[in-house]
Amino acid sequence: MTVPQILYVSAFLLILIGLYSLLTQRNMIRMIIGLNIADLGVNLFLVTIGFVDKGSAPIFRAQAAAGPMVDPVPQALVLTSIVIGFGVTALALTLVMRLFVSHGSIDTARIRGLKW
Amino acid sequence: MRKLIGILLIGGFAFYLVTVGMGLFSAESRSELDSVGSEILATSPDLSGAANTVTAVVVQYRGFDTLGEVTVLFVSALGVGMLAMAIKDGLLKNLFDDNGGFVLQAGSLALLPFIVLVGLYITLHGHLSPGGGFPGGVIIATAVFVVILTSKTLSIPRGLINVMETLAGLGFLAIGFVGLYSPAQSFLANILPKGEFGSLLSAGFIPVIYAIVAIKVASELINIISKLTAADSDSKEAAE
Amino acid sequence: MVSPILFIVVPLAAAFLTVLVNRNAGARILALLTALTLSALAWFWFRADLSTPVSVVIAGIAPPMGIQLSMDRLSAALALLISVSGLLVILYSQSYLKSEEAQSKHYAVLLLLMAASFGILLTRDLFNLFVFYEILCISSYILVASEETKASFEASLKYLLLGSVGSLFMLVAIGLAYRVSGSLAMSDIARALGKADSSYAMLTAALFVLGMGIEAAIFPVNTWLPDAHSSAPSSISAVLSGFVIELALVVLLRISMTVFSSVNLMLPLRYMALAGILIGELAAFGQTELKRTLAYSSMGQVGLMLFALTLGTEAGRQAGMAHLVMHTGAKSVLFLIAGYFIVRTGKREIKSYSGLGRRMPLTGVLFVIAALSLVGVPPLFGFFTKFKILSAAAASGATGAWLGIAVILLGTVLEASYLFRVARTLYSDPEGENVKAVKGRMEMDVPALVAVFGFTLLVIFGSFLLPLIPSGLAL
């Protein structure tokens, strides 16, 4: 297997693990952790898209090493995606705090609107 | 039951990906770029003057995304603020009620300027090396977080932080407008002189934008942290 | 020079400033002024000659390297709809919101929601679309939770979890699109996907539609809608049901028809739409709470619009867009009035509103007009749009068109029966405790009445706007 193939497979495994825990966990904090794992998988997937064989970081230096540089665009996209993930996580945790205050539990089975 | 449904759904999705998706990733070992990235790598030194091409993409080529990104942080900080206002005590009070003791408190205060310094360095060198406004801002916020963790009597100047937050946001938009009404006639156009390639004062407006982003990120994060830990002075008073 | 960028920059700047304004009155005035400015801007663009779309590039860098925004007739018309709705809802909020709340933050989030709506309408870059879509989603989550009740937190978290999974799918789809096209500009991706392997294009399109379909409330992924729209503050329900889901729907369809034109998405979407109509209207029929009824009815109405837009004919698209405008007016009226029913009686069940129509004569009449239009009773706008949808379906000859007509007629019967049930309750004799519960100041406050009246004008006279409503879903 080549390097990007390994990375693609692990990215999709991370996404699947994250989605699985989102679906099966009853603890809301764990569900949010699952979401974050899936987020990581997506970020890994995006970075891998920019992979080039023997590529270096896309930074120009005085004593430049000859050879290709990796694609800078996916790295910029990942930066954005990380920040968005952070914002959503902060909001989700605040909501869980409010739910804990009002219901006294973070178990979705005890919260009417989130049971399934 | 939900485990079973979960396994079925995820299994089906995985099966679909393996049969349809994975076959498409087989021939994957390219030695040169065939995307817009190669054009960006070729034009970036002249167009942006930034040695770090990722920074050039984030701030200049896709600067509009970064404005949106800053807005995402802003709106989630607003949301945390709106929702956490009602949690004054009870939940995290015990967690943060403990005094860290003299050594930790003095230590965290002594560390504060150094952590802030690292954050500033990373922010201002964003166009030369990995880093920039987002990680820099996070590091600056961390300095405050360390202090919050060790002492319960910290009062955060909320008014000042709100003003900085607003000014940073407006500053970003103002730089955009300068571009719009300059000869370049384009929102967020990089019209400042590019300077000498690879030096600290180069890349036109990129370090300026990154400094603004760092201020914005740091103030949003300090806001979120202080709201979530109820460390800010007014909610403390209200709880007593 | 008026640049389309102002649509995004003006509400952003106002939102940044609003946080500094601690006084509720100041924040309200700032929000109103911003919405007025936006409406004026939208009017300017609506009147402008947009036979060729006006494009601007950001940072002077043309796509594929940079980001391009483009204003066409569809965007201008929807921008006008959004900014006027926003203006009316802000007007309504000033009497509806409880005074002790932190209103400045509420208005700031509402302005950000509007900025994000304009963003996803104007951008021609797939990743930029994602960023604005995220702002739209996050501000919706916050606004749903801002009712500060148990039910609203539950609804908001459910919405957040589903929405985040949708965003993940969208991001994977964007990655797949970038990998095959090497660009993020929509037109480049459309070209590259046309040449790519069909299963690859299919995977990309499916992930994207599934992701964005969550905000557009397309059938299998709309389970969040009834909870979120019914437990949000009523002004926000009006915004979410009034233009947010419609906007997401239109943008999603524009992308399906242009970027994913190589994949045949129209047929599956049409059947999903029919399922949505059937399930939404049936569920609405069984509800006892007014706002839940209205929320489920939105689910059905979205299906109706989606069905018309996916017929694949010009007439179908025209009818779908007209129905969208009608739904914005009618559903906003219904939700805004439902908010006042809850304020006046303190109850959410329909049966507690008995006799309310006599105590609030003007409000009651406005409610009935909007309900009649939603059902499609002749002189009102809703009749014309529904008739246009049915005739477009009959003329299109598309697969499932006749099945669709049957489902729509069935949905209309259900809709008529539950909305008439509400109207009958409003004008029946008040029973039991309701007799004394409905005392005190009755009619809505003046600003709220003005806002509702504005939406009602659209519902009554909208049919004159029919020739002005654009239908082109091009890039």
Side-chain angles (χ1 to χ4, degrees):
Chain A
M1 272 176 116
T2 59
V3 177
Q5 273 176 334
I6 295 170
L7 291 179
Y8 278 131
V9 170
S10 15
F12 278 110
L13 279 180
L14 279 175
I15 295 176
L16 292 178
I17 292 169
L19 289 181
Y20 175 76
S21 47
L22 195 59
L23 279 172
T24 54
Q25 292 297 327
R26 283 171 33 177
N27 182 324
M28 287 191 271
I29 304 277
R30 290 191 187 184
M31 290 170 84
I32 293 169
I33 292 174
L35 198 62
N36 277 315
I37 294 174
D39 231 356
L40 278 180
V42 174
N43 291 343
L44 181 58
F45 170 71
L46 285 179
V47 172
T48 312
I49 287 172
F51 183 86
V52 176
D53 241 7
K54 300 193 181 65
S56 59
I59 298 175
F60 293 100
R61 290 195 184 80
Q63 62 279 27
M69 286 180 176
V70 299
D71 195 340
V73 177
Q75 304 203 3
L77 303 190
V78 166
L79 182 62
T80 308
S81 141
I82 290 172
V83 172
I84 291 174
F86 167 80
V88 173
T89 309
L91 190 64
L93 288 174
T94 316
L95 278 172
V96 171
M97 279 166 76
R98 286 307 295 268
L99 280 171
F100 180 72
V101 169
S102 62
H103 291 74
S105 169
I106 52 169
D107 186 346
T108 52
R110 291 169 188 231
I111 294 174
R112 191 178 52 85
L114 293 170
K115 213 180 331 188
W116 68 279
Chain B
M1 189 56 203
R2 54 193 286 148
K3 282 232 165 78
L4 190 69
I5 296 174
I7 289 170
L8 278 179
L9 277 176
I10 295 296
F13 186 52
F15 181 75
Y16 179 63
L17 283 181
V18 167
T19 50
V20 179
M22 276 314 175
L24 302 162
F25 293 100
S26 48
E28 185 68 40
S29 206
R30 48 184 186 170
S31 49
E32 58 185 39
L33 283 178
D34 48 6
S35 69
V36 67
S38 59
E39 287 172 55
I40 287 179
L41 280 171
T43 54
S44 162
D46 287 334
L47 211 56
S48 71
N52 182 350
T53 317
V54 178
T55 298
V57 174
V58 168
V59 180
Q60 189 171 353
Y61 289 84
R62 306 190 65 81
F64 209 47
D65 281 351
T66 305
L67 179 60
E69 204 176 336
V70 169
T71 312
V72 167
L73 263 186
F74 176 69
V75 69
S76 57
L78 269 180
V80 171
M82 275 168 82
L83 296 173
M85 227 166 1
I87 312 172
K88 278 171 184 138
D89 47 9
L91 190 53
L92 292 172
K93 197 156 184 281
N94 299 335
L95 201 58
F96 291 93
D97 231 20
D98 270 350
N99 220 323
F102 174 75
V103 176
L104 279 181
Q105 277 180 16
S108 69
L109 278 178
L111 268 177
L112 183 95
F114 295 104
I115 302 180
V116 171
L117 192 66
V118 172
L120 287 177
Y121 178 89
I122 286 183
T123 303
L124 293 179
H125 287 72
H127 55 300
L128 303 176
S129 57
F134 288 98
V138 172
I139 291 171
I140 294 173
T142 314
V144 179
F145 190 40
V146 171
V147 180
I148 289 179
L149 278 179
T150 54
S151 75
K152 62 172 183 178
T153 51
L154 179 75
S155 69
I156 293 170
R158 285 278 293 290
L160 180 69
I161 287 177
N162 278 341
V163 171
M164 298 229 301
E165 190 183 331
T166 303
L167 285 185
L170 291 178
F172 202 137
L173 297 177
I175 289 180
F177 266 106
V178 170
L180 188 59
Y181 292 107
S182 74
Q185 286 204 352
S186 190
F187 192 74
L188 281 175
N190 190 351
I191 47 160
L192 293 180
K194 303 289 187 297
E196 188 195 336
F197 187 77
S199 67
L200 185 58
L201 287 176
S202 67
F205 78 158
I206 290 180
V208 183
I209 293 255
Y210 253 169
I212 287 175
V213 168
I215 296 174
K216 186 92 177 146
V217 170
S219 49
E220 307 289 14
L221 286 191
I222 293 172
N223 245 338
I224 291 181
I225 292 165
S226 66
K227 293 268 173 45
L228 282 183
T229 55
D232 55 324
S233 44
D234 18 316
S235 67
K236 265 242 159 90
E237 279 158 23
E240 276 157 11
Chain C
M1 188 196 128
V2 182
S3 168
I5 292 185
L6 290 179
F7 273 117
I8 296 156
V9 175
V10 169
L12 271 188
F16 290 151
L17 267 178
T18 312
V19 183
L20 273 193
V21 183
N22 280 321
R23 312 261 306 262
N24 287 341
R28 191 186 310 138
I29 290 167
L30 190 59
L32 268 178
L33 282 180
T34 313
L36 260 178
T37 315
L38 288 171
S39 307
L41 267 176
W43 179 247
F44 168 82
W45 281 106
F46 188 63
R47 298 295 308 278
D49 174 30
L50 290 171
S51 44
T52 51
V54 174
S55 299
V56 284
V57 293
I58 307 286
I61 299 167
M65 287 196 287
I67 294 171
Q68 188 185 30
L69 306 184
S70 174
M71 175 67 95
D72 56 9
R73 287 191 58 216
L74 177 80
S75 309
L78 278 177
L80 187 62
L81 190 71
I82 292 168
S83 39
V84 173
S85 303
L87 178 67
L88 294 178
V89 166
I90 291 171
L91 197 63
Y92 171 91
S93 304
Q94 69 161 318
S95 51
Y96 172 77
L97 285 182
K98 288 166 229 138
S99 55
E100 71 270 22
E101 275 172 10
Q103 289 188 12
S104 61
K105 284 181 178 147
H106 186 90
Y107 286 123
V109 180
L110 195 55
L111 288 173
L112 290 171
L113 180 99
M114 288 173 74
S117 310
F118 296 128
I120 68 170
L121 207 51
L122 296 179
T123 187
R124 291 294 178 269
D125 183 283
L126 209 55
F127 190 76
N128 198 234
L129 173 87
F130 171 77
V131 173
F132 282 114
Y133 174 81
E134 278 300 314
I135 301 176
L136 185 75
C137 288
I138 297 178
S139 30
S140 311
Y141 311 149
I142 295 170
L143 289 173
V144 168
S146 69
E147 178 79 350
E148 306 248 332
T149 58
K150 277 186 183 187
S152 72
F153 296 138
E154 291 167 7
S156 175
L157 190 67
K158 190 175 180 181
Y159 188 8
L160 185 145
L161 291 175
L162 258 173
S164 309
V165 173
S167 314
L168 287 180
F169 284 170
M170 257 176 97
L171 208 48
V172 174
I174 290 170
L176 288 170
Y178 182 76
R179 186 178 164 275
V180 69
S181 67
S183 162
L184 290 162
M186 289 183 187
S187 46
D188 292 342
I189 294 173
R191 220 170 300 130
L193 280 179
K195 286 182 220 138
D197 196 280
S198 71
S199 59
Y200 188 93
M202 185 75 203
L203 178 67
T204 313
L207 285 174
F208 195 91
V209 169
L210 202 61
M212 194 152 179
I214 287 182
E215 189 73 7
I218 290 175
F219 161 61
V221 285
N222 57 5
T223 48
W224 59 272
L225 187 145
D227 294 323
H229 286 201
S230 64
S231 54
S234 293
S235 51
I236 299 311
S237 310
V239 167
L240 294 180
S241 262
F243 67 78
V244 172
I245 45 177
E246 282 88 346
L247 175 75
L249 190 72
V250 169
V251 173
L252 177 59
L253 269 169
R254 178 157 75 188
I255 289 171
S256 320
M257 286 181 174
T258 53
V259 177
F260 301 123
S261 57
S262 58
V263 184
N264 181 19
L265 286 168
M266 293 303 128
L267 191 64
L269 281 177
R270 206 178 304 144
Y271 283 115
M272 281 148 100
L274 291 182
I277 299 178
L278 212 53
I279 290 172
E281 301 293 3
L282 277 174
F285 187 74
Q287 297 303 314
T288 53
E289 287 181 17
L290 180 55
K291 281 185 77 176
R292 272 192 101 76
T293 311
L294 295 177
Y296 274 110
S297 142
S298 289
M299 211 155 133
Q301 294 284 341
V302 165
L304 190 52
M305 288 169 229
L306 184 64
F307 174 75
L309 290 168
T310 52
L311 279 172
T313 59
E314 180 64 29
R317 280 196 293 276
Q318 183 99 46
M321 291 301 298
H323 193 73
L324 185 151
V325 175
M326 194 287 296
H327 184 249
T328 301
K331 203 41 84 55
S332 302
V333 171
L334 294 178
F335 266 122
L336 294 182
I337 293 182
Y340 259 88
F341 286 168
I342 294 174
V343 170
R344 290 293 184 246
T345 63
K347 301 217 174 60
R348 308 175 72 92
E349 289 81 21
I350 296 170
K351 66 172 163 35
S352 352
Y353 302 149
S354 59
L356 220 50
R358 295 183 195 166
R359 304 270 180 147
M360 311 167 78
L362 197 49
T363 313
V365 168
L366 294 177
F367 188 92
V368 171
I369 290 176
L372 290 177
S373 177
L374 204 60
V375 176
V377 172
L380 298 167
F381 192 15
F383 167 72
F384 295 100
T385 60
K386 223 169 214 175
F387 183 73
K388 274 172 85 90
I389 291 180
L390 290 175
S391 56
S396 71
T399 326
W402 288 101
L403 177 67
I405 291 175
V407 170
I408 291 172
L409 289 176
L410 177 65
T412 306
V413 172
L414 286 170
E415 205 165 34
S417 55
Y418 64 74
L419 285 172
F420 288 154
R421 197 171 62 200
V422 179
R424 209 184 55 214
T425 313
L426 285 180
Y427 288 101
S428 66
D429 287 321
E431 316 153 359
E433 53 185 301
N434 291 346
V435 179
K436 52 183 185 303
V438 293
K439 288 233 171 79
R441 250 166 81 229
M442 288 312 300
E443 210 62 80
M444 291 195 285
D445 299 307
V446 175
L449 209 52
V450 171
V452 172
F453 201 68
F455 282 118
T456 314
L457 284 182
L458 179 65
V459 171
I460 299 175
F461 298 112
S463 38
F464 296 109
L465 298 176
L466 276 175
L468 294 177
I469 296 171
S471 62
L473 287 171
L475 272 185

